[in-house]
Amino acid sequence: MRENYYFGSARELSNNSGRITDSYVPLDFVLDSKEVISYERLIDRVYDSNVRGIVFLGDFGSGKSMTLREIFLSSFQRFKAGYSARFPIHLNLVDHFGQRSPAEALIRHCEQIGFASANGLIGAWRAGFCDLLLDGFDELYTTKFVLSVKNMRKAKSDSLELVRRFVKDTPVGSRVFMAGRSSYFGASTSDLRNALALSEDFTISDISNFSPEQVERYLANHNLHQSLPDWLPRRPLLLGYLISRHVFDKLALNNFQDAANGWDYLLDQVAAREADQSPAGLRDPVAVRRFLERLAWEARGSQSGRGPLSIEILRRTFSDVFGFEMNAESELFVYRLCGLASSSSDPEAREFFDLDFCDACASANVARYATSPFENSNLIKLRGRHQLGELGVRMCCRDIQRAVVGERLFRASFEHCINNSGDSLLLFDLIQVFSMVFGGKVPPVTIRECDIDALVVTAQSDLSQVFFDECVIDQLYVEEEEVGQKAPRLRSCLVTSLIGRANRDALPPGMIDAATEVISFADTYDTNAQILRSGLPVEMALLITVLRKLFVQRGRGRRENAFYRGIEPQHRSTVKSILEIIVSSGLASPAPGASGVVYLPNYSRSHEVFSLLASPLEARSDLTRAVKDL
């Protein structure tokens, strides 16, 4: 009965139903200790110990829902076979928005799956005959009714009351598994434990992307035997969707070594294929891609950053791009368009299936506005809620450099946006791109009342004339170099996690005012100094420090001079050699930037990097052998 209802965001990608035929490829998980552990070992550890449960953290499409579904199915089989006295209950928390009582949530759950005995289910849960699976704790929160930055923290906490009561009221001996986005809380796991009322006997785990072996196995399950380019993320949902749309059949993705050019080619080919299969009037691939790009711009105004896009938005955008009203034939084109999926909240709506796909599409709008602000003034009317991601910024930079946009014209786009009461998040996107393309001092800008996923402050970009007023910043990264007077100014903001400084006193003077609240500080850069004093062989300690800066510390890559900070002069030549080895091994790639070479991590290899970080002395690879030989 339960298997006929949706398991979170997990879907049969060919028809978007809840009946999934795709077999689960067991993922690996990264614990707080940075230990990488397999799915099988993690589940065994839960059932064979006093662990009360697991919290799975990961981005959208990382496999959280499929993992909880697999736990549900295997637990149910254990119960049916008589190996366990407890049976599983799986709730999609998005179905229980606004509920605070576990009993009420279980009653609604029974109604949705068609189970008649709600009271019996409640009684079994209270008696300890159930294991609980809660999918999507981050979907219980919405900013729709949040009136100011000051009450946002309280609203976020209040939204999790149902989860906390489930945790507190579930009898000892029963297990509780839950999943949600890793960015929902700050960098500190203590914030997560407090918000969800988790005791120390709960295990917190980040879901790792597919390892190379898991990718090979997943592709083989679909009769595909090919390598994937390093720039393509190894997220299960992304790969599964592209396979279901036959994207890998004829595309030469491996011809591109960097993400910006690779995604540009992928979007071009997707648009060309869709245009080729479309009715008359919709066969222009440039217009098809423009339609996807405009929809991505609309999607950034949604809470998820992917949609849903209502039928009204679809029709309006279609008319703007193609020049005629959407009819029954063109509606079919929209509903089957590659890149979009149906929405569980509205059968007529559509949403982007992947954040990187959406980010790649949205980037073109910022580039168009920066190049021709007057001709693209319609773009400033939408109030966005999600900034361009790392991929989107790099694609936008590439487009602007190709168009040979000078600094004077780019500054004009700032002025146009400000003078026309433009979207503050568009201004923030322009700041990110300006810093990367031109460097130097960013023009005077005030960003008001924005939700910002990540703000990175470095000495290479002068943000001294940039003010953030009443903004919510999930993660603020202050790099280890002396930023000084180049730091931006935060006024009456809420920062979930500030990374790179241990406290307010360590920040540049005047960077944050007294009305700005910082929930947690994480002085991760001090950890690098501890590694260098750890007693490890010098070459291995330097390797770990470099890899941490590339893969653990957030930022849009790392400038070369950042790797030498905090390093004794006699060891700097070794760091340079380590960087060369890392590049030759494919773990990172150098890219030119406004302030010198930037090293970009290859996240498709993050699985082996975290394994090395967890056990550096036990690591055996060509990389570690080459470093030890220095």
Side-chain angles (χ1 to χ4, degrees):
M1 183 179 294
R2 175 61 183 85
E3 56 267 28
N4 295 327
Y5 191 63
Y6 294 118
F7 286 85
S9 60
R11 297 289 189 275
E12 175 65 25
L13 295 173
S14 61
N15 56 20
N16 203 53
S17 73
R19 286 182 167 273
I20 298 172
T21 59
D22 205 2
S23 57
Y24 178 71
V25 174
L27 296 163
D28 292 331
F29 302 87
V30 183
L31 306 184
D32 282 348
S33 62
K34 298 307 177 190
E35 175 189 1
V36 180
I37 186 171
S38 68
Y39 168 81
E40 293 84 358
R41 284 182 57 209
L42 183 61
I43 299 303
D44 287 344
R45 182 179 294 188
V46 172
Y47 285 116
D48 296 339
S49 68
N50 293 323
V51 174
R52 281 200 64 201
I54 306 176
V55 180
F56 295 106
L57 301 176
D59 294 329
F60 182 83
S62 61
K64 301 186 300 297
S65 292
M66 282 293 285
T67 297
L68 285 187
R69 176 180 178 270
E70 182 67 15
I71 294 173
F72 175 89
L73 295 176
S74 60
S75 298
F76 189 62
Q77 290 303 317
R78 283 164 52 94
F79 173 74
K80 283 177 62 178
Y83 296 124
S84 174
R86 300 189 307 273
F87 62 88
I89 301 175
H90 181 291
L91 275 71
N92 300 324
L93 290 176
V94 69
D95 296 335
H96 303 280
F97 178 82
Q99 289 191 311
R100 301 169 71 86
S101 164
E104 291 177 0
L106 290 173
I107 291 171
R108 181 181 295 179
H109 175 68
C110 289
E111 293 172 350
Q112 288 166 329
I113 68 172
F115 185 66
S117 182
N119 289 335
L121 190 66
I122 295 170
W125 166 64
R126 292 194 183 281
F129 291 112
C130 305
D131 287 336
L132 203 59
L133 296 93
L134 307 174
D135 192 354
F137 57 72
D138 53 295
E139 297 186 68
L140 290 170
Y141 169 72
T142 177
T143 58
K144 182 176 181 180
F145 305 109
V146 178
L147 300 178
S148 69
V149 167
K150 294 181 179 179
N151 68 359
M152 182 168 289
R153 185 180 179 185
K154 182 178 184 301
K156 214 168 192 178
S157 176
D158 289 348
S159 70
L160 296 171
E161 178 63 20
L162 175 63
V163 178
R164 285 193 292 269
R165 291 187 61 179
F166 264 126
V167 170
K168 292 176 181 178
D169 295 348
T170 296
V172 175
S174 294
R175 304 296 191 264
V176 180
F177 303 89
M178 63 184 82
R181 284 185 298 117
S182 54
S183 59
Y184 189 72
F185 300 97
S188 171
T189 56
S190 61
D191 294 334
L192 182 149
R193 290 188 181 276
N194 292 333
L196 298 178
L198 303 179
S199 53
E200 290 300 321
D201 48 8
F202 273 84
T203 295
I204 298 173
S205 169
D206 285 286
I207 294 184
S208 174
N209 283 341
F210 275 149
S211 68
E213 295 77 17
Q214 290 162 346
V215 169
E216 184 177 353
R217 179 177 168 186
Y218 188 74
L219 294 177
N221 287 346
H222 296 274
N223 298 316
L224 292 172
H225 304 279
Q226 62 189 80
S227 61
L228 299 179
D230 289 338
W231 54 263
L232 190 67
R234 268 55 172 175
R235 287 189 296 275
L237 179 59
L238 173 64
L239 297 184
Y241 184 91
L242 295 178
I243 289 170
S244 72
R245 302 303 293 254
H246 306 288
V247 170
F248 293 134
D249 289 359
K250 297 181 180 179
L251 299 192
L253 297 179
N254 282 305
N255 290 345
F256 299 89
Q257 300 303 312
D258 67 285
N261 287 317
W263 275 98
D264 182 51
Y265 169 76
L266 177 60
L267 293 181
D268 269 348
Q269 297 304 307
V270 165
R273 178 176 296 184
E274 293 296 313
D276 186 57
Q277 299 172 356
S278 298
L282 301 172
R283 292 178 180 166
D284 179 2
V286 175
V288 172
R289 177 164 175 175
R290 179 71 66 93
F291 181 57
L292 281 169
E293 291 166 348
R294 286 287 302 278
L295 289 178
W297 194 247
E298 293 283 349
R300 86 191 219 124
S302 66
Q303 182 162 322
S304 70
R306 301 178 295 105
L309 302 164
S310 67
I311 185 63
E312 290 77 21
I313 291 175
L314 295 173
R315 286 172 176 163
R316 183 183 70 243
T317 307
F318 181 91
S319 176
D320 289 346
V321 172
F322 291 102
F324 60 92
E325 299 297 320
M326 197 163 77
N327 54 29
E329 189 176 38
S330 52
E331 185 174 295
L332 181 62
F333 157 79
V334 171
Y335 281 164
R336 67 165 179 76
L337 187 61
C338 184
L340 303 180
S342 61
S343 170
S344 57
S345 62
D346 180 357
E348 289 190 321
R350 286 294 180 269
E351 61 188 24
F352 281 86
F353 79 98
D354 181 77
L355 280 171
D356 275 341
F357 191 100
C358 186
D359 196 36
C361 290
S363 68
N365 298 284
V366 178
R368 287 192 190 98
Y369 184 81
T371 306
S372 305
F374 297 97
E375 289 80 358
N376 293 280
S377 58
N378 60 314
L379 295 175
I380 66 176
K381 297 176 183 177
L382 175 71
R383 182 169 178 77
R385 297 170 70 174
H386 291 271
Q387 69 198 66
L388 284 184
E390 184 172 341
L391 170 64
V393 170
R394 291 213 164 271
M395 292 186 70
C396 187
C397 291
R398 187 208 56 151
D399 290 346
I400 286 171
Q401 289 167 333
R402 280 184 173 181
V404 197
V405 176
E407 186 173 338
R408 173 182 283 185
L409 177 57
F410 202 103
R411 288 178 180 272
S413 66
F414 274 108
E415 296 176 7
H416 181 271
C417 192
I418 295 169
N419 295 337
N420 289 274
S421 301
D423 175 20
S424 275
L425 209 54
L426 174 57
L427 281 172
F428 183 69
D429 288 334
L430 292 173
I431 289 172
Q432 294 188 93
V433 175
F434 182 93
S435 299
M436 190 168 289
V437 174
F438 301 106
K441 180 174 286 190
V442 174
V445 172
T446 299
I447 309 295
R448 294 185 175 88
E449 298 179 352
C450 272
D451 288 356
I452 295 173
D453 300 324
L455 170 60
V456 181
V457 179
T458 74
Q460 278 68 43
S461 299
D462 189 341
L463 304 179
S464 58
Q465 298 185 83
V466 178
F467 294 86
F468 293 88
D469 288 355
E470 296 191 348
C471 293
V472 177
I473 303 172
D474 279 346
Q475 295 181 322
L476 172 59
Y477 297 83
V478 184
E479 290 201 346
E480 64 263 51
E481 68 262 38
E482 184 56 45
V483 176
Q485 295 302 311
K486 295 181 179 180
R489 303 295 186 261
L490 277 62
R491 302 181 296 202
S492 300
C493 294
L494 174 63
V495 179
T496 303
S497 182
L498 195 152
I499 301 169
R501 297 294 186 272
N503 50 52
R504 284 176 176 262
D505 295 337
L507 290 169
M511 180 175 171
I512 60 175
D513 67 2
T516 292
E517 181 181 3
V518 180
I519 296 176
S520 68
F521 289 85
D523 190 12
T524 58
Y525 304 122
D526 186 53
T527 304
N528 290 328
Q530 293 170 5
I531 291 170
L532 294 173
R533 298 193 299 268
S534 65
L536 284 169
V538 172
E539 293 80 10
M540 286 301 296
L542 292 172
L543 171 64
I544 292 171
T545 301
V546 171
L547 290 176
R548 279 180 53 82
K549 288 184 177 184
L550 274 171
F551 286 86
V552 179
Q553 297 171 193
R554 174 69 178 264
R556 305 190 191 290
R558 279 285 175 270
R559 291 177 177 85
E560 184 171 6
N561 58 357
F563 295 104
Y564 300 107
R565 295 191 183 92
I567 304 298
E568 298 281 342
Q570 67 268 27
H571 296 317
R572 291 182 181 176
S573 61
T574 305
V575 170
K576 184 172 182 62
S577 298
I578 288 173
L579 283 172
E580 292 172 355
I581 292 171
I582 286 174
V583 170
S584 65
S585 68
L587 288 175
S589 58
S595 304
V597 175
V598 175
Y599 287 84
L600 305 175
N602 176 4
Y603 287 114
S604 72
R605 304 274 297 279
S606 58
H607 179 275
E608 60 190 272
V609 170
F610 283 117
S611 294
L612 189 155
L613 294 177
S615 304
L617 292 177
E618 299 174 13
R620 301 288 186 272
S621 66
D622 292 341
L623 172 68
T624 56
R625 280 190 287 271
V627 169
K628 289 175 181 178
D629 289 341
L630 290 175

